[in-house]
Structure formats: structure tokens, C-alpha cells
Amino acid sequence: MPLPEKNMLRCVLLLALCAPLAGQSKPKLRAQSFHFDDYRTFLQLDAAALRDTGVWDELYVSGLEAFVVLVREQFGFDADHLDRLTLTGGMVLTGDDARAFEAVVVLEGNAELEPPGDLGGDSYELTTIGGHDVYTYRWGGDAFVAPTPKLQVYGKPALLRPVLEGRPRAGLPSPDVMAYTAGKQNTLLQWVVDLDQDPQLRAELQDFAEAELAGLRWPEGDAPTTLAGRIAATGDEDDRHVLLEVVLRHGTAGDGLARSEEIGSAGIAALKKLPQARMFWSLLKRVEFERSGTDAVWRVDLGRARSVGGLLTTATPLLLLGLTTVRVVQQAVGQQLLEEVEEEVEPPPPPPPPPVRPPAGGGGR
């Protein structure tokens, strides 16, 4: 029996009202959804810019096949399929009001990104969060998830869970990060480290300055607040050069900024004397320094991309060896922990013997 016109109109209105709500019930997951809100520490490799500027072709021609192998070994897909790799970090509560620095790494592709090949091994535990398969490394707590074929995310499960369950983050940078990154052209790799969030790195910088650079020390309360840098493509399209820029930012343009300039100059002079840095001597002679507001800025033209590729070709095998060593150590430690746990678990006692039944017909005389 057909519905009356009033009921039909009511159903149409109800469907029209519910349709938008149904679309909002499960927000679309984007790369930005996983990043920290108001993040002050980040690193980004713009692989798409590498290709668009022509730098990637120059690097590849220079013999950088080892880097392609590195990407395939570590991430499971071809380097040409990657557009961006972004890390953002922040302080999170770890219990008992303690706070620790944690990070999320997001990979964005222009094609389907194959997952790492070792996810199916015993080193990972598979769980489901918000309908997504999440692989957690048993010995380190880091997890992997691919929300879409072109998106992969690495981070602690506690950081990924809210997003996967439908509560995405805004994922916008802090004003300090935006002030550094805004307006930068042809940036290939950039990073900003908030030294208040990483006091260990600031202490290591200070220890190096004191131990290796004639006891130089930043004034109390006027040490750098931020370590930033970028690698960019410069020059004409047919003659691309690569620029390296490193920045130490201070709260004020005072004695601390002057000391950063002094420490930088002393560090460059010390490197010029190291035989191990022989391949970089010509670059060190071209380093330029500038004060810009509260920033101490060092820049150097690394030369044509093809020349930079030669340096990277030399360094990449060492990086491959280091990553392989780390993985072997992780697996060895994990296996040792597993064996220790198995040794600590006592085997269950044997079952009691069956009861002895008297012979049929009773006993005795």
C-alpha cells in the first residue's frame, strides 16, 4: 500500500536531515589528522619537491642507488612513490603526572605504499582500532597503521587510537614553527626542534661547546630556545644548487645570541682541522653567518645537486650499516627477553597418579 503524501514528505525530510550526520560520523583520516596540535618540534622531507625541482634526477644520476635500496629496505616501497615524510613531536602524560616527549611519523604517497615486509613476523602484535589493522612492535611499543593505501603512520598506540576511533586532531603548527617555515621557497628538507622539549639535546650542545670549544658557555637563562634548519634548491632550473641553512633562535638578541655566533665560528674552525672531515673542508670555507632578529643563521651553498649526491653516496652505506645493526640488536634483545620470560615461567606440575583400586571381591582373609 503506498504511503500517504504527508508520510512520504516526512520520510524525505528525515533522510535529508540524517544524510549529513551520517557523513560526519566517521571523519576522513588525513595526514594532518595524526599530527600534534600546536606542535613545536617537527621534521619534514618533501620528496615531491625533490622531484619537481629536478634535484632528485641529479642525485640519482650521481649514483644514489643505495638511498633507493634504503627506502625499500626500511619502508617496503619505491622512493618514487613517496611525496612527504613528516615527523611531529610533543610532550604527553605518561602517568603519575610525568611527561615525556613522543613523536608521530606520517608518510604520504602518490601511489599505494606497500607496508614493511616484516609486519607478519613474531616481532609485531596485530590489533584492530576503529576498524584499522594496527601492528605494534613487541619490544619498543611503536605501532604502524595504514589508514588509506597512500597513507602510513608510525607512533605509540595511545597517540594513534583517538584519531583511528574518529577524533582527528587539527594538526596545525605553533606560531614559532610557522614563523620559521612561512615563505620558504623550494624547501626539500626542514626541521625545527624546540629545545625546551628536548633539554637533553640542549645539554649535549652545551657539553660539546665546553669540552671541544675552549670552554665556551651560553649565559645562564639565555641559551638557545630552538634549533632549526632546512635544505633547499636554489639557482636556475638547469643549474640547481643545494643550500643548507642552520638556525639557533634565542629569546632575545642579547649576550646569548653573541655567544652562539662565537660557538658557531669556533666549531667551524675546529672542523677545518679534523682529518676525518677532509671531504667537507671546501664547504666549511664557504659558510656565511648572519644575525636576523634573535636568530643566529649559518648558510652554505653545497654546490650542484650532483656533487651533493656524491657525498650522500659515500655516507649512505654507513647509514645502511647502522640501521641494519640496530635492527639486528633489536631482534637479538627481543629474542633474549622472550627466552628469559620462558625460563621464568615454571612448567605446570605433573598430574596426580590415578587412585589405586582394591581388587575385585574385597581384600584380606
Side-chain angles (χ1 to χ4, degrees):
M1 179 181 294
L3 292 172
E5 290 185 3
K6 289 185 179 180
N7 289 343
M8 179 70 75
L9 180 61
R10 185 176 301 171
C11 290
V12 171
L13 291 175
L14 183 62
L15 289 173
L17 290 173
C18 291
L21 296 177
Q24 295 175 3
S25 62
K26 191 173 183 180
K28 181 180 179 181
L29 295 180
R30 303 176 299 162
Q32 187 174 320
S33 305
F34 291 90
H35 292 309
F36 284 75
D37 291 329
D38 200 38
Y39 59 83
R40 296 182 291 162
T41 292
F42 96 113
L43 178 146
Q44 184 177 79
L45 169 66
D46 194 334
L50 267 172
R51 292 188 293 269
D52 294 343
T53 58
V55 171
W56 175 247
D57 292 335
E58 290 284 318
L59 293 176
Y60 197 81
V61 168
S62 65
L64 203 59
E65 290 88 351
F67 178 78
V68 178
V69 174
L70 172 64
V71 173
R72 166 61 67 179
E73 288 290 329
Q74 295 301 313
F75 296 108
F77 53 79
D78 292 332
D80 286 341
H81 294 168
L82 178 67
D83 273 355
R84 273 170 300 280
L85 182 154
T86 307
L87 176 151
T88 61
M91 305 299 292
V92 299
L93 290 174
T94 59
D96 298 330
D97 294 331
R99 297 173 67 83
F101 180 84
E102 298 290 353
V104 173
V105 177
V106 179
L107 281 67
E108 302 170 72
N110 53 60
E112 181 176 351
L113 301 178
E114 294 293 331
D118 57 350
L119 290 181
D122 295 336
S123 298
Y124 291 88
E125 180 181 1
L126 175 61
T127 56
T128 301
I129 302 177
H132 300 277
D133 290 340
V134 179
Y135 296 84
T136 302
Y137 188 61
R138 294 180 184 273
W139 316 117
D142 291 327
F144 165 87
V145 64
T148 70
K150 298 181 181 180
L151 182 65
Q152 295 184 354
V153 186
Y154 295 81
K156 289 292 194 308
L159 298 176
L160 306 183
R161 179 177 294 277
V163 183
L164 297 174
E165 290 180 342
R167 301 188 300 278
R169 302 184 183 94
L172 297 176
S174 67
D176 288 340
V177 170
M178 293 183 66
Y180 177 75
T181 59
K184 305 291 186 179
Q185 300 295 322
N186 293 331
T187 297
L188 310 176
L189 174 69
Q190 57 186 333
W191 64 91
V192 177
V193 179
D194 186 321
L195 295 176
D196 288 335
Q197 291 184 337
D198 194 347
Q200 181 178 351
L201 176 58
R202 178 157 50 197
E204 290 174 355
L205 290 173
Q206 180 63 82
D207 292 343
F208 172 79
E210 288 189 286
E212 305 295 337
L213 305 177
L216 295 176
R217 186 175 184 82
W218 282 287
E220 189 68 28
D222 202 4
T225 59
T226 305
L227 170 64
R230 72 183 188 118
I231 296 177
T234 63
D236 299 331
E237 292 184 4
D238 57 349
D239 187 26
R240 286 294 191 191
H241 281 228
V242 178
L243 173 74
L244 170 63
E245 179 181 88
V246 177
V247 178
L248 282 176
R249 177 167 295 167
H250 289 258
T252 62
D255 294 339
L257 181 60
R259 182 51 54 88
S260 285
E261 179 181 0
E262 188 178 358
I263 288 174
S265 299
I268 293 172
L271 286 173
K272 290 179 180 178
K273 299 178 182 179
L274 287 179
Q276 300 91 327
R278 191 184 308 274
M279 69 175 64
F280 302 107
W281 282 352
S282 61
L283 297 177
L284 295 172
K285 295 177 181 178
R286 301 201 299 265
V287 176
E288 299 177 354
F289 175 79
E290 175 192 2
R291 285 195 192 188
S292 178
T294 61
D295 292 347
V297 185
W298 293 267
R299 297 186 183 92
V300 58
D301 185 342
L302 300 178
R304 295 193 64 180
R306 188 171 300 189
S307 301
V308 176
L311 291 175
L312 292 177
T313 301
T314 303
T316 301
L318 299 177
L319 182 58
L320 278 169
L321 176 62
L323 290 173
T324 302
T325 302
V326 169
R327 175 160 294 190
V328 170
V329 170
Q330 285 178 334
Q331 292 176 346
V333 171
Q335 183 63 31
Q336 180 180 356
L337 290 175
L338 181 61
E339 292 174 356
E340 290 177 356
V341 170
E342 291 177 346
E343 289 178 358
E344 291 177 359
V345 177
E346 297 182 0
V356 179
R357 297 184 176 222
R365 292 182 181 179

